[in-house]
Amino acid sequence: MLKFLGMRFLRYSVMTIAVTSLAYLLAVSFFNPALQMLDTQGGIEMDPEISYERVQQTLARLDLDPDQNAFQRYWVWLTAILTDWDWGRTPSGGFVNSEFGIRLWISTQLTLAATVLTFILGVALGVFSAARQYKLGDRVTTWYSYLTMVLPTPVAYLLVQRAAIWINDQSSERIFYVTGFRSIGVEGTWNQIVDMAAHYAVPTVAMTIFGWASMQISQRQYLLDFVNADFVRTARATGLTRNQAIRKHALRVSFVPTAQSLAFTIPALFTGTIFAEVIFNWDGLGSWSIRALHAHDVNSTVLMTFYGCVIFAIGALLADLFTSIVDPRVRL
């Protein structure tokens, strides 16, 4: 197992390096932060040539000169990463490492609980509906999942946010915070825990109840494919009930493709939270990456590309590991 996972890790590492390097070369070829800075700093009122030259000199001190050879910039950038793990500076002079670390912590807090709950509830509801095929519980659960799949994500999150506001209005006190991730000036461990829970509840609920749909639908379908299989009928012939046979035999086999889907579920949840961050005002990686693209911030954009590759690799390795656990036929 360790040898197999090691080989997969090596393969994903090579892919990550290749994709990140290509992203950097493309970014330095098309991004020009100098022009963007002139627009935002009112450079139009000055002599364009003098203004551009000053901005270019500032960017050159940050190793962001847009007129420098792309491969020379790539070598300087790559050397800094390999020697000091320094991902460079932003056009405004900030350190990419520190800004990324702050946003990563915020996004992780926002998505971690939702990711776990989405996976657990999605699989559980898929098993629940498959075991009650065409009954009321199955129809209600499946109908809800299909509804959430066609409902636009911003609309879904706004509905949850509005529901939390309604609860606050009805109770005449603020039970839930619908924006932000913490309150300023809260003292005491218990008060901080309560404040954190009040901020986390609404976005976590929104991302969970509108995120389990695809997991529930796929787990239900996979399980139904094995409900009437020969090994399940044999198990029932030994005296097991239908639900017992499904739980002890069909579920384990049907869980294999669900485990493999982790390779796509985890990256989507950890990198696709832009709507949640904007609507609930969490200044995490999604909002930060949008601002980086708008500012033609090469280093921040490339770091987000690297982060996406790493998250995908982690998801794929977890999928391989879970598959080997639930399927005895797999030998890593």
Side-chain angles (χ1 to χ4, degrees), residues 102 105-106 109 177 179-186 192 195-196 198-200 280-282:
I102 295 172
W105 174 237
I106 294 173
Q109 294 178 83
Y177 288 87
T179 58
F181 63 96
R182 66 176 181 179
S183 299
I184 304 299
V186 177
Q192 291 178 352
D195 178 74
M196 180 178 66
H199 283 88
Y200 282 26
F280 300 111
N281 194 27
W282 285 57

Short mmCIF file of all heavy atoms in Angstrom, two decimals, residues 102 105-106 109 177 179-186 192 195-196 198-200 280-282:
data_model
loop_
_atom_site.label_atom_id
_atom_site.label_comp_id
_atom_site.label_asym_id
_atom_site.label_seq_id
_atom_site.Cartn_x
_atom_site.Cartn_y
_atom_site.Cartn_z
N ILE A 102 -3.51 33.71 6.02
CA ILE A 102 -4.67 34.27 6.70
C ILE A 102 -5.95 33.80 6.02
O ILE A 102 -6.91 33.33 6.67
CB ILE A 102 -4.60 35.80 6.72
CG1 ILE A 102 -3.42 36.26 7.57
CG2 ILE A 102 -5.90 36.40 7.24
CD1 ILE A 102 -3.15 37.76 7.50
N TRP A 105 -6.75 29.99 6.50
CA TRP A 105 -7.32 29.67 7.80
C TRP A 105 -8.81 30.02 7.82
O TRP A 105 -9.64 29.26 8.33
CB TRP A 105 -6.58 30.42 8.90
CG TRP A 105 -7.18 30.29 10.25
CD1 TRP A 105 -7.59 31.30 11.07
CD2 TRP A 105 -7.41 29.07 10.98
NE1 TRP A 105 -8.07 30.79 12.26
CE2 TRP A 105 -7.97 29.42 12.23
CE3 TRP A 105 -7.20 27.73 10.70
CZ2 TRP A 105 -8.33 28.48 13.18
CZ3 TRP A 105 -7.56 26.78 11.66
CH2 TRP A 105 -8.12 27.17 12.88
N ILE A 106 -9.17 31.16 7.23
CA ILE A 106 -10.57 31.56 7.19
C ILE A 106 -11.39 30.59 6.35
O ILE A 106 -12.47 30.13 6.76
CB ILE A 106 -10.70 33.00 6.64
CG1 ILE A 106 -10.06 34.00 7.61
CG2 ILE A 106 -12.16 33.36 6.40
CD1 ILE A 106 -10.01 35.42 7.07
N GLN A 109 -11.85 27.16 8.07
CA GLN A 109 -12.89 27.21 9.09
C GLN A 109 -14.28 27.18 8.47
O GLN A 109 -15.21 26.57 9.00
CB GLN A 109 -12.74 28.49 9.92
CG GLN A 109 -11.47 28.54 10.77
CD GLN A 109 -11.37 29.85 11.52
OE1 GLN A 109 -11.95 30.04 12.57
NE2 GLN A 109 -10.62 30.79 10.96
N TYR A 177 -25.47 35.14 13.43
CA TYR A 177 -24.84 36.18 12.63
C TYR A 177 -24.86 35.74 11.17
O TYR A 177 -24.44 34.63 10.86
CB TYR A 177 -23.40 36.43 13.08
CG TYR A 177 -23.28 37.13 14.41
CD1 TYR A 177 -23.28 36.41 15.61
CD2 TYR A 177 -23.17 38.51 14.47
CE1 TYR A 177 -23.18 37.05 16.83
CE2 TYR A 177 -23.06 39.17 15.69
CZ TYR A 177 -23.06 38.43 16.86
OH TYR A 177 -22.95 39.07 18.07
N THR A 179 -23.41 37.50 8.62
CA THR A 179 -22.21 37.95 7.92
C THR A 179 -21.03 37.94 8.89
O THR A 179 -21.22 38.06 10.10
CB THR A 179 -22.37 39.37 7.34
OG1 THR A 179 -22.67 40.29 8.39
CG2 THR A 179 -23.47 39.41 6.29
N GLY A 180 -19.83 37.84 8.35
CA GLY A 180 -18.62 37.88 9.15
C GLY A 180 -18.33 36.55 9.81
O GLY A 180 -19.17 35.65 9.87
N PHE A 181 -17.09 36.41 10.32
CA PHE A 181 -16.70 35.16 10.95
C PHE A 181 -16.35 35.31 12.42
O PHE A 181 -16.05 34.33 13.09
CB PHE A 181 -15.51 34.53 10.20
CG PHE A 181 -14.25 35.33 10.22
CD1 PHE A 181 -13.26 35.07 11.16
CD2 PHE A 181 -14.04 36.33 9.29
CE1 PHE A 181 -12.10 35.81 11.18
CE2 PHE A 181 -12.87 37.08 9.29
CZ PHE A 181 -11.90 36.81 10.24
N ARG A 182 -16.41 36.53 12.94
CA ARG A 182 -16.21 36.72 14.37
C ARG A 182 -16.59 38.15 14.73
O ARG A 182 -16.67 39.03 13.88
CB ARG A 182 -14.76 36.47 14.77
CG ARG A 182 -13.77 37.47 14.20
CD ARG A 182 -12.37 37.23 14.70
NE ARG A 182 -11.43 38.21 14.17
CZ ARG A 182 -10.13 38.25 14.47
NH1 ARG A 182 -9.64 37.35 15.30
NH2 ARG A 182 -9.35 39.18 13.96
N SER A 183 -16.83 38.34 16.03
CA SER A 183 -17.14 39.68 16.54
C SER A 183 -15.90 40.26 17.20
O SER A 183 -15.08 39.53 17.77
CB SER A 183 -18.28 39.61 17.56
OG SER A 183 -19.46 39.10 16.97
N ILE A 184 -15.77 41.56 17.12
CA ILE A 184 -14.63 42.24 17.71
C ILE A 184 -14.91 42.53 19.19
O ILE A 184 -16.00 42.94 19.57
CB ILE A 184 -14.35 43.57 16.96
CG1 ILE A 184 -14.15 43.29 15.46
CG2 ILE A 184 -13.13 44.25 17.55
CD1 ILE A 184 -12.99 42.40 15.16
N GLY A 185 -13.89 42.27 20.00
CA GLY A 185 -13.99 42.63 21.40
C GLY A 185 -14.62 41.60 22.31
O GLY A 185 -14.91 41.91 23.47
N VAL A 186 -14.84 40.39 21.81
CA VAL A 186 -15.44 39.35 22.65
C VAL A 186 -14.35 38.77 23.56
O VAL A 186 -13.30 38.33 23.09
CB VAL A 186 -16.05 38.23 21.78
CG1 VAL A 186 -16.61 37.12 22.67
CG2 VAL A 186 -17.15 38.80 20.90
N GLN A 192 -16.32 33.45 23.47
CA GLN A 192 -15.75 33.32 22.13
C GLN A 192 -16.27 32.09 21.40
O GLN A 192 -16.51 32.12 20.19
CB GLN A 192 -14.22 33.26 22.23
CG GLN A 192 -13.58 34.58 22.66
CD GLN A 192 -12.08 34.48 22.80
OE1 GLN A 192 -11.50 33.39 22.72
NE2 GLN A 192 -11.42 35.61 23.03
N ASP A 195 -19.82 32.91 20.34
CA ASP A 195 -19.77 33.85 19.22
C ASP A 195 -19.35 33.15 17.94
O ASP A 195 -19.93 33.40 16.86
CB ASP A 195 -18.80 34.99 19.55
CG ASP A 195 -18.66 35.98 18.41
OD1 ASP A 195 -19.59 36.77 18.20
OD2 ASP A 195 -17.61 35.94 17.73
N MET A 196 -18.38 32.25 18.03
CA MET A 196 -17.93 31.51 16.85
C MET A 196 -19.05 30.63 16.30
O MET A 196 -19.28 30.58 15.09
CB MET A 196 -16.72 30.66 17.21
CG MET A 196 -16.16 29.85 16.04
SD MET A 196 -14.70 28.90 16.51
CE MET A 196 -15.43 27.74 17.69
N ALA A 198 -22.24 31.08 16.61
CA ALA A 198 -23.27 31.93 16.02
C ALA A 198 -22.89 32.40 14.61
O ALA A 198 -23.76 32.58 13.75
CB ALA A 198 -23.54 33.13 16.92
N HIS A 199 -21.60 32.60 14.37
CA HIS A 199 -21.14 33.00 13.04
C HIS A 199 -21.05 31.82 12.09
O HIS A 199 -21.28 31.96 10.88
CB HIS A 199 -19.76 33.68 13.14
CG HIS A 199 -19.82 35.09 13.65
ND1 HIS A 199 -19.77 35.41 14.97
CD2 HIS A 199 -19.91 36.27 12.98
CE1 HIS A 199 -19.83 36.73 15.11
NE2 HIS A 199 -19.91 37.27 13.92
N TYR A 200 -20.68 30.64 12.61
CA TYR A 200 -20.47 29.48 11.75
C TYR A 200 -21.77 28.82 11.32
O TYR A 200 -21.84 28.18 10.28
CB TYR A 200 -19.63 28.43 12.48
CG TYR A 200 -18.16 28.70 12.54
CD1 TYR A 200 -17.67 29.99 12.47
CD2 TYR A 200 -17.24 27.68 12.67
CE1 TYR A 200 -16.32 30.26 12.53
CE2 TYR A 200 -15.89 27.93 12.73
CZ TYR A 200 -15.43 29.22 12.66
OH TYR A 200 -14.09 29.48 12.72
N PHE A 280 -21.80 35.64 2.74
CA PHE A 280 -21.68 35.66 4.20
C PHE A 280 -20.51 36.51 4.68
O PHE A 280 -20.20 36.51 5.88
CB PHE A 280 -21.57 34.23 4.73
CG PHE A 280 -22.75 33.37 4.40
CD1 PHE A 280 -22.63 32.32 3.51
CD2 PHE A 280 -23.98 33.63 4.95
CE1 PHE A 280 -23.72 31.53 3.19
CE2 PHE A 280 -25.09 32.85 4.64
CZ PHE A 280 -24.96 31.79 3.76
N ASN A 281 -19.84 37.18 3.75
CA ASN A 281 -18.77 38.13 4.08
C ASN A 281 -17.63 37.48 4.86
O ASN A 281 -17.22 37.98 5.91
CB ASN A 281 -19.35 39.32 4.85
CG ASN A 281 -18.36 40.49 4.92
OD1 ASN A 281 -17.51 40.65 4.05
ND2 ASN A 281 -18.47 41.30 5.96
N TRP A 282 -17.14 36.37 4.35
CA TRP A 282 -15.94 35.74 4.88
C TRP A 282 -14.82 36.00 3.88
O TRP A 282 -14.86 35.53 2.76
CB TRP A 282 -16.15 34.23 5.04
CG TRP A 282 -17.00 33.84 6.20
CD1 TRP A 282 -18.28 34.24 6.43
CD2 TRP A 282 -16.65 32.94 7.25
NE1 TRP A 282 -18.75 33.67 7.58
CE2 TRP A 282 -17.78 32.86 8.10
CE3 TRP A 282 -15.51 32.20 7.54
CZ2 TRP A 282 -17.78 32.06 9.23
CZ3 TRP A 282 -15.51 31.41 8.68
CH2 TRP A 282 -16.64 31.34 9.51
#
